[in-house]
Amino acid sequence: MLKLLGAVLVVVAGALAGFTRAAQYADRPRNIRGLIAALQRLETEILYGYTPLPEALHRIGQQSKGTLQAFFTAAAEEMSPPLNRTAEEAFKRAVEQHFRSASLKGAEKEIIRQLSCTLGTSDRSNQSTHIALALQQLKQEETVAREDQGKYEKMSKSLGLLLGVLIVILIF
Amino acid sequence: MANDWLFLFPEKVRALLSGLPANLLARLEEVRVREGRPLEINYSGKYHFLCGNGSLTQQPAEAYKPSREDTHRLLDLISNHSLYTMEEELRKGFITIPGGHRIGLSGRTVLSGGGVEHLRDITGFNVRIARELPGIADSVLPYLVERGRQRIMHTLILSPPQHGKTTLLRDLARQISTGSTAGRDGSRPGLKVGIVDERSEIAGSRRGIPAFDVGPRTDILDGCPKAEGMMMMIRSLSPEVLVADEIGRHEDAEAVTEALHAGISVVATAHGKEVAELARRPGLGGLLEHRMFERYVILNRTEAGLTFRILDGQKRGLLLITPDDHQGGERRA
């Protein structure tokens, strides 16, 4: 009886691990898409709204969902008084806090880091160029992430379950 | 609220400045930050360099030299991390921050069609600390009021830069707008005052709300070119007194003439030391020639304090007020 319970636990654990992995594959393209939408809004705020960066980020945070909301709100807070950090520092901290839980990887981190160095430090047309570049890079990452999702999402689910079953078979 | 401008500076510079004695901080007029060169402060008309340990020196070699990091942070803070919102300001070469403090910028200009389009590589900052000195106009104002008619006379305030023109103008606007109940000439009702504040210096407006007390009956056109602003005021806001800072161009003179003929009193300032000197300037010469102004106030600041010289429309001296006289006594010039 106890053996059976153990076996069930192992299989369930394996399946859960597989599902978590699969969820990460599904999350990444979704969050990249969210990031793209957010940057497009940022571009509008800068180009047409002349909105100061902290305020623009705060607004975008409110319009975003889930982790991205936390990410942009955190960046906006880092830049507002009393902290008053530069855009570069603020984004660096926000990335460290929130990107892992959003299943975002090194490539996106690097894109955001590069963008943050120039955000707010030049005129509007220059800002627009930099945001457009970041958008383009993010779109590439999105394609890659979607391919990964197609390839590995289902596989991870089955693999997790099968691994659990394998362990059970080996033990018995 | 006092010394709110300190929060504008990056940590290192802020620490140095807040380490200065309080009485010195209260008199501080300018802080000049130049990348890689000595940090300079000006107070009471004298300059000093600031050392890394907080002491003052006259030797540039001993002084603290702001790093690239310092100037970057300073620019980031004064632009609220958003330089792109400051394009117009960069074209003019200065930024006005909350509190009415003005920061002049120097760097490399980017030209477009022969005009200055933008400022980049900004490495020089001149932070001019604005101060309210309520009461500074006390001794001057009675001589600008026309007896009996409760009208303010057309007045031109003259002084070289940094002698307190704007501060005097601000207090004049406040007192004219407030009126008085117990003046030397009995009570004087408040008048409608219109301020054309091209550089946001007189009222220090932020989002349209003045940071300084400019009186209850005062309207402010913030950031508006003077000539255009004066005409807008005349047409739509019906001021009894128009206040403008640093007039000098042809358009300004035209607008002033327009206001004078519309029966509106004008109180304006201009750079200069003497009235005669002013008459030679292309923009203002005509105004002086036609004796448009009824009063001239010439400001001069020495270490002892402010000296006012008041002249009438024919440029005859009426009065000299020296620092010792500010308490009430005056003597004829």
Side-chain angles (χ1 to χ4, degrees), chain A residues 50-51 53 79 85 120 124, chain B residues 73 81-85 87:
Chain A
Y50 290 93
T51 321
L53 209 50
M79 288 176 77
R85 297 209 162 87
R124 286 182 306 147
Chain B
R73 293 211 62 134
H81 316 283
S82 317
L83 209 58
Y84 54 83
T85 56
E87 284 173 22

Side-chain angles (χ1 to χ4, degrees), chain B residues 204-276:
Chain B
S205 299
R206 179 79 174 167
R207 296 179 185 219
I209 314 282
F212 299 119
D213 180 8
V214 285
R217 299 195 72 200
T218 302
D219 300 302
I220 303 138
L221 269 180
D222 189 36
C224 185
K226 280 177 291 276
E228 223 172 301
M230 284 191 261
M231 297 309 292
M232 279 168 72
M233 279 273 179
I234 295 169
R235 279 195 293 263
S236 58
L237 289 163
S238 71
E240 288 161 310
V241 180
L242 256 180
V243 172
D245 207 1
E246 294 180 14
I247 59 169
R249 290 173 309 166
H250 271 292
E251 308 92 275
D252 302 343
E254 270 169 37
V256 168
T257 315
E258 193 75 29
L260 297 184
H261 288 310
I264 297 165
S265 307
V266 174
V267 181
T269 68
H271 283 301
K273 268 192 189 137
E274 290 298 331
V275 179

Side-chain angles (χ1 to χ4, degrees), chain A residues 46 50-55 79 84-87 89 119-124 127, chain B residues 7 11 14 69 72-73 76-77 79-87 117-118 207:
Chain A
I46 289 175
Y50 290 93
T51 321
L53 209 50
E55 201 184 320
M79 288 176 77
N84 265 333
R85 297 209 162 87
T86 60
E89 289 169 340
L119 264 187
T121 58
S122 57
D123 59 2
R124 286 182 306 147
Q127 296 284 298
Chain B
F7 290 95
E11 291 85 9
R14 192 193 309 162
E69 168 79 11
H72 270 204
R73 293 211 62 134
D76 200 52
L77 286 172
S79 65
N80 189 16
H81 316 283
S82 317
L83 209 58
Y84 54 83
T85 56
M86 302 276 168
E87 284 173 22
E117 149 100 6
H118 195 68
R207 296 179 185 219

